[in-house]
């Protein structure tokens, strides 16, 4: 039982080491890529909450019988913020596509340079060619650095969405004096 716990701990340490290696590789190839993705995902998470927040302000204004100008101002602010966020996200998505392509090309370049450094006799062996194919497949499909960064940013987006939800819902459960 104790040996199993030790093996699990070593496996977790290996996984953490692998995560840091992938993150450092992504940062080395394109500095700030993960930060860029996180900002993009946070904007995506914020968009529905802008609508929810301003819709509640508009409904409150209607119930309080606020002036038309006050209600209309909230509608205009909501529309402007929402559309500005859509346009910014649209532009960022274009930049993200270029960065993903750049990252893929840099990874291919790294694999090619490593291949060129190999001795020709070693490169001629079937096992070496098979390992190179597996490395290329791992870096471009199943173990893709771009997808890993995207998944990590999506995880952060979900956490931010939960925080946004709590911030919006908590006032509903606090009794007013």
């Amino acid at each position: 039982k104790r040996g199993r716990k030790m093996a699990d701990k070593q496996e977790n340490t290996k996984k953490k080491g692998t995560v840091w290696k992938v993150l450092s590789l992504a940062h080395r190839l394109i500095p700030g890529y993960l930060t860029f993705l996180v900002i993009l995902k946070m904007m995506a998470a914020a968009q529905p909450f802008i609508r929810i927040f301003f819709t509640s302000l508009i409904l409150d204004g209607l119930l309080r019988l606020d002036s038309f100008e006050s209600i209309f101002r909230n509608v205009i602010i909501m529309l402007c913020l929402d559309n500005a966020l859509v346009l910014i996200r649209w532009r960022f998505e274009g930049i993200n596509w270029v960065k993903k392509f750049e990252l893929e090309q840099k990874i291919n370049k790294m694999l090619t340079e490593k291949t060129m450094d190999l001795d020709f006799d070693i490169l001629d062996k079937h096992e070496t060619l098979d390992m190179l194919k597996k490395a290329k497949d791992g870096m471009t499909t199943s173990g893709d650095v771009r997808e890993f960064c995207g998944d990590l940013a999506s995880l952060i987006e979900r956490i931010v969405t939960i925080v946004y939800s709590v911030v919006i819902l908590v006032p509903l459960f606090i009794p007013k004096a």
Side-chain angles (χ1 to χ4, degrees):
K1 191 173 185 179
R2 186 173 190 197
R4 182 69 189 151
K5 284 185 181 181
M6 191 71 131
D8 288 344
K9 188 174 182 179
Q10 287 174 345
E11 184 66 29
N12 286 337
T13 305
K14 279 185 186 179
K15 288 179 184 177
K16 288 178 187 175
T18 304
V19 169
W20 284 116
K21 284 179 185 176
V22 171
L23 291 175
S24 65
L25 174 66
H27 181 71
R28 189 176 67 225
L29 293 175
I30 300 181
Y33 179 62
L34 185 60
T35 306
F36 176 79
L37 279 178
V38 168
I39 291 170
L40 182 64
K41 297 292 186 172
M42 287 179 72
M43 284 191 293
Q47 194 157 9
F49 293 100
I50 288 173
R51 295 175 189 150
I52 292 168
F53 177 75
F54 278 99
T55 301
S56 72
L57 287 179
I58 293 165
L59 290 174
D60 287 345
L62 288 171
L63 292 174
R64 284 191 313 257
L65 301 172
D66 287 351
S67 68
F68 174 77
E69 293 82 17
S70 173
I71 294 170
F72 195 68
R73 184 189 63 218
N74 285 334
V75 170
I76 295 297
I77 292 171
M78 178 181 74
L79 291 174
C80 288
L81 281 175
D82 192 48
N83 288 323
L85 198 55
V86 167
L87 290 174
I88 292 168
R89 282 186 55 215
W90 175 68
R91 179 65 183 136
F92 274 34
E93 287 290 346
I95 294 169
N96 184 37
W97 186 86
V98 171
K99 285 183 177 279
K100 276 183 160 181
F101 182 76
E102 181 184 357
L103 186 59
E104 180 181 1
Q105 295 308 312
K106 286 184 177 185
I107 289 170
N108 285 334
K109 179 184 172 197
M110 280 178 48
L111 287 172
T112 303
E113 287 172 350
K114 292 288 185 187
T115 304
M116 297 303 279
D117 289 343
L118 291 175
D119 190 37
F120 199 70
D121 292 337
I122 296 172
L123 197 57
D124 213 16
K125 294 181 181 177
H126 178 70
E127 295 85 21
T128 306
L129 293 174
D130 191 40
M131 285 177 22
L132 287 171
K133 183 182 180 311
K134 287 179 181 178
K136 182 160 178 63
D137 288 345
M139 290 300 282
T140 57
T141 54
S142 60
D144 191 0
V145 174
R146 299 167 306 158
E147 294 301 319
F148 179 81
C149 290
D151 291 344
L152 185 60
S154 293
L155 176 67
I156 293 169
E157 174 191 7
R158 288 180 182 99
I159 292 169
V160 168
T161 301
I162 291 168
V163 170
Y164 287 162
S165 300
V166 168
V167 166
I168 285 179
L169 293 175
V170 163
L172 296 175
F173 298 106
I174 297 175
K176 294 182 182 180

